[in-house]
Amino acid sequence: MIIVIRILLVIFVFFILWQIVARFAKILFYFPAPAFMGPLFDSVLRRKIQPPGIVIERSGIKEGMHVLEVGCGSGAFTTNVARAVGKKGKVYALDIQQKMLQQFENKLSQPENQDLKNIELIKSSAYELPFDDNSLDLVYMVTVLPEVPDKHRALQEVKRVLKIGGSLSLTELLIDPDYPLKSTTIKAGEKAGFVLDELFGNIWNYTVRFKKP
Ligand SMILES: C[S@@+](CC[C@H](N)C(=O)[O-])C[C@H]1O[C@@H](n2cnc3c(N)ncnc32)[C@H](O)[C@@H]1O
């Protein structure tokens, strides 16, 4: 019993130290989440902490939608989203890092994902979304926006590609070193011209959903 308590204590101390170091580093320098974190993002533990089904439900992702995930990383949520939109829907998975997209491509080549034909991987930045104006039903980001240096520019670009009445869903998790308060996320969305639609979750894990008016 004492050994278990000691191990848990050591894990806790390492976690706190990592949080302090990562948060300071993020304040001092700009860098996207390193690609070596990809397997952790797409792990069983992550799915327990932040179940994809809940993110999909809160984001308002429905069958037949054409959806863009900005900052898909290793694809922790993307395959679930692709199944949720179904054959008539489409998911564009965009990330700025080729190494992240490579991890997602490896995931897609696994036998359990062979049925998925409705995902397109795109290497690009949130500032340059390769879509026509008013062309997408929904854009979602999970622990991404706080990592983008010019959030307003990225949100303006998202607004451009969304259809009128389309949704933007922003999900954040407290253990992310970039974690912003819900009020900060709401302010960023409203400043970019979105209208607040619904709020879900708590301080630990929340989703803010906006509409393009
Ligand atoms: C913390 S990870 C989250 C990945 C994934 N959304 C998840 O929850 O597992 C943030 C991701 O956003 C990507 N990213 C950061 N800045 C970006 C930008 N300006 N444009 C597109 N993607 C970006 C990073 O490369 C990284 O894959």
Side-chain angles (χ1 to χ4, degrees):
M1 186 64 183
I2 287 177
I3 288 194
V4 173
I5 292 172
R6 276 191 185 161
I7 291 172
L8 287 176
L9 209 65
V10 168
I11 292 173
F12 179 72
V13 168
F14 268 104
F15 175 72
I16 296 293
L17 283 176
W18 174 75
Q19 284 283 320
I20 292 169
V21 170
R23 279 169 203 257
F24 267 111
K26 286 276 187 173
I27 290 167
L28 296 176
F29 312 102
Y30 162 70
F31 57 94
F36 68 78
M37 300 281 287
L40 187 67
F41 296 151
D42 189 22
S43 63
V44 175
L45 178 67
R46 170 75 180 290
R47 264 185 282 280
K48 288 247 181 290
I49 294 175
Q50 214 174 20
I54 291 181
V55 173
I56 289 170
E57 196 188 318
R58 290 176 174 177
S59 300
I61 294 168
K62 305 247 162 56
E63 205 174 337
M65 279 184 163
H66 282 223
V67 168
L68 165 66
E69 176 172 10
V70 176
C72 62
S74 48
F77 297 92
T78 329
T79 49
N80 296 72
V81 171
R83 292 203 164 85
V85 298
K87 286 190 179 130
K88 287 187 183 153
K90 174 116 190 173
V91 182
Y92 300 96
L94 178 143
D95 204 284
I96 203 168
Q97 296 188 78
Q98 186 59 44
K99 283 185 180 167
M100 283 290 195
L101 291 172
Q102 187 58 57
Q103 290 178 36
F104 184 33
E105 220 164 87
N106 294 343
K107 177 177 174 172
L108 286 177
S109 67
Q110 298 303 307
E112 68 271 20
N113 291 323
Q114 289 309 300
D115 58 318
L116 291 173
K117 309 282 180 225
N118 59 348
I119 301 177
E120 187 176 326
L121 275 62
I122 301 168
K123 186 183 175 294
S124 189
S125 149
Y127 304 145
E128 283 155 21
L129 303 176
F131 301 95
D132 291 338
D133 297 0
N134 307 311
S135 58
L136 298 172
D137 298 304
L138 188 144
V139 176
Y140 73 100
M141 301 187 211
V142 184
T143 64
V144 173
L145 186 65
E147 206 170 274
V148 178
D150 191 342
K151 294 160 194 43
H152 188 65
R153 185 175 162 201
L155 290 179
Q156 290 278 307
E157 181 64 351
V158 168
K159 199 160 119 237
R160 180 186 70 74
V161 301
L162 268 177
K163 290 178 184 167
I164 292 168
S167 297
L168 163 66
S169 159
L170 302 173
T171 298
E172 302 298 344
L173 186 67
L174 185 62
I175 49 171
D176 179 3
D178 296 302
Y179 174 86
L181 288 173
K182 213 186 266 180
S183 55
T184 308
T185 302
I186 294 170
K187 254 186 231 158
E190 289 182 336
K191 189 176 164 214
F194 287 97
V195 174
L196 184 60
D197 182 17
E198 276 206 70
L199 294 173
F200 303 92
N202 46 37
I203 193 162
W204 163 249
N205 177 16
Y206 70 80
T207 297
V208 180
R209 203 170 72 203
F210 299 94
K211 283 241 178 280
K212 172 173 165 175

